[in-house]
Amino acid sequence: MTILVTGGAGFIGGNFVLDWLASSSEKVINVDKLTYAGNLETLKSIQGNPAHLFVKVDIGDRAAISELLREHQPRAVVNFAAESHVDRSIEGPGEFIQTNVVGTFNLLESVRGYWDGLGDEARLAFRFLHVSTDEVYGSLSPTDEPFKETNPYEPNSPYSASKAASDHLVRAWHHTYGLPVVTTNCSNNYGPYHFPEKLIPLVILNAIAGKPLPIYGDGQQVRDWLYVKDHCSAIRAVLDGGRLGETYNVGGWNEKPNLEVVKTICAILDELKPRIDGRSYAGQIAFVKDRPGHDRRYAIDARKLEKDLGWKPAETFETGIRKTVSWYLENTAWTANVQSGAYLQWVEKNYAGRNS
Ligand code: NAD
Ligand code: TYD
């Protein structure tokens, strides 16, 4: 048997493919366009593994995707491929519409054509799992209940709006054409192989490089952090037992203000890799100009997934963040590679003019 994964050279997709092959011999066709966020270094340990086939293709390329589906006959497609960074979506929303909306539409059409042509048994067993975000639900006030699957969609950034649109397409392809879909809406992930444009890896790498740790606004925005391997186990649970047409919220029950996250990272680094001058890394914290339209709080109610499919996260924030900091300290070849080239231009562009 075979599954086809899109975006499997990115942060979550890469972790998913590595975890999958560590515990299963089922073949993975890994389709990724290799944008700035796609990184084959992440997949180095499975190079040459006959159960893994990497193909550089855009999810929007209908002919190429249809051909891959026809050739490999997967029993499932797991769609991670997306433009994923809110700040980049503010700088340039076009790519987000192209991949997250038009790309998802084209992928759905390729998959529908393939699924339509399957025999009865394979049609019944087939799944299209769409990986989405809690950001589609908008922003919570401090006293609001965490997001449930029934919350209305109220996306606020070009990124979350494009993901919301893709979720609606997936839903409609089920409702109208009967495509067997399930959707997961997950909170902020962190862990190994995370591209350092996002808060947690950026702070770890800036800290040890002696650079400022940029906190947008007052740093009191709250995110609900989930260790990436827990997200991967949730996706496997939904793939196995998720009810067709349903959505499942995935979260770690770890709501933290950004400033607290950054101070926690500093404290772990103070212990594991103390600064030469003996001072705390927290001294590098720098408050900078806020992100336009910055959502104040995200929080996930993951009880449906727990009740229906028995999923629970294995890591608390305390255990997961320690593992993550250690991983970045130990994997210097990966971090050096990822911080070269186009990454430097992004850092220059995003942080120029933010100083306050
Ligand atoms: P990422 O940016 O690290 O990786 C995205 C991957 O998709 C990259 O490898 C990139 O090359 C690939 N890609 C982009 N456009 C493509 C296209 N047109 N065709 C084929 N491949 C393409 O993102 P991530 O953090 O791994 O997120 C994966 C998915 O999970 C996304 O759909 C994202 O919206 C969702 N998600 C992420 C988080 C998070 O905290 N990172 C939280 C919730 C949901
Ligand atoms: P990020 O990792 O970009 O994820 P998202 O925007 O999808 O939640 O950001 C997490 C939080 O950290 C978010 O509230 C923005 C904030 N942030 C900073 O304060 N400084 C930074 O340099 C970055 C990249 C993010």
Side-chain angles (χ1 to χ4, degrees):
M1 294 217 283
T2 299
I3 63 165
L4 187 146
V5 167
T6 73
F11 164 47
I12 305 172
N15 274 285
F16 181 83
V17 170
L18 293 175
D19 283 5
W20 182 274
L21 292 174
S23 61
S24 161
S25 54
E26 186 173 358
K27 191 167 181 180
V28 179
I29 311 300
N30 186 348
V31 173
D32 196 297
K33 183 183 170 184
L34 292 182
T35 66
Y36 78 91
N39 188 352
L40 289 177
E41 291 287 306
T42 299
L43 304 170
K44 220 173 174 174
S45 64
I46 51 171
Q47 237 176 21
N49 183 334
H52 178 239
L53 176 69
F54 180 83
V55 198
K56 185 177 184 298
V57 165
D58 189 320
I59 55 164
D61 184 340
R62 265 200 230 182
I65 298 284
S66 299
E67 179 56 24
L68 283 170
L69 291 167
R70 196 196 55 71
E71 188 185 342
H72 297 285
Q73 301 280 308
R75 67 165 176 102
V77 170
V78 184
N79 183 31
F80 292 96
E83 289 291 337
S84 71
H85 187 36
V86 175
D87 291 319
R88 283 188 194 252
S89 82
I90 296 167
E91 279 292 324
E95 278 300 312
F96 288 72
I97 304 304
Q98 204 50 45
T99 282
N100 300 0
V101 186
V102 182
T104 305
F105 157 67
N106 281 313
L107 180 65
L108 282 166
E109 280 297 81
S110 306
V111 171
R112 183 163 75 93
Y114 163 68
W115 176 72
D116 270 341
L118 291 174
D120 287 349
E121 207 179 316
R123 261 169 75 88
L124 267 179
F126 185 79
R127 294 290 179 273
F128 180 90
L129 191 151
H130 180 61
V131 179
S132 191
T133 167
D134 60 355
E135 303 193 23
V136 298
Y137 298 120
S139 183
L140 295 169
S141 79
T143 53
D144 283 337
E145 293 292 318
F147 300 128
K148 288 198 176 66
E149 288 80 359
T150 47
N151 272 53
Y153 272 32
E154 291 175 349
N156 291 320
S157 72
Y159 163 64
S160 55
S162 68
K163 290 296 289 186
S166 70
D167 294 6
H168 290 322
L169 292 173
V170 170
R171 179 191 153 88
W173 260 240
H174 173 67
H175 193 80
T176 304
Y177 304 112
L179 193 69
V181 310
V182 273
T183 296
T184 54
N185 292 87
C186 187
S187 61
N188 285 61
N189 283 219
Y190 68 102
Y193 305 110
H194 203 180
F195 193 76
E197 64 184 350
K198 307 278 171 71
L199 180 71
I200 287 180
L202 179 97
V203 163
I204 299 170
L205 295 178
N206 274 15
I208 56 181
K211 294 180 183 163
L213 312 180
I215 307 266
Y216 295 168
D218 63 3
Q220 292 310 311
Q221 303 82 6
V222 171
R223 299 293 182 261
D224 180 355
W225 293 97
L226 180 70
Y227 192 62
V228 64
K229 286 175 185 300
D230 282 330
H231 187 190
C232 295
S233 73
I235 291 170
R236 292 197 299 271
V238 174
L239 196 57
D240 286 347
R243 281 201 302 273
L244 294 188
E246 300 256 333
T247 66
Y248 294 87
N249 284 356
V250 192
W253 304 104
N254 283 312
E255 283 187 61
K256 307 271 177 215
N258 293 335
L259 187 56
E260 187 184 324
V261 168
V262 174
K263 285 185 172 168
T264 303
I265 294 170
C266 290
I268 297 172
L269 282 172
D270 289 341
E271 185 193 321
L272 298 182
K273 193 180 169 61
R275 270 175 40 155
I276 297 165
D277 64 7
R279 298 203 173 140
S280 171
Y281 286 99
Q284 289 166 232
I285 288 175
F287 289 89
V288 301
K289 197 166 147 219
D290 208 352
R291 170 188 281 173
H294 198 170
D295 283 340
R296 202 67 188 162
R297 175 176 167 237
Y298 304 138
I300 280 277
D301 182 335
R303 279 179 295 183
K304 177 178 174 185
L305 187 53
E306 190 181 321
K307 195 168 135 283
D308 290 5
L309 301 179
W311 175 87
K312 267 190 180 164
E315 303 291 343
T316 62
F317 186 69
E318 289 65 33
T319 59
I321 194 68
R322 188 167 276 275
K323 284 185 181 175
T324 304
V325 173
S326 299
W327 188 90
Y328 278 88
L329 293 179
E330 285 156 16
N331 288 273
T332 46
W334 187 90
T335 58
N337 178 281
V338 86
Q339 285 179 289
S340 59
Y343 171 73
L344 298 171
Q345 288 151 26
W346 165 254
V347 169
E348 175 82 14
K349 191 171 179 189
N350 189 41
Y351 295 97
R354 272 200 200 264
N355 292 337
S356 60

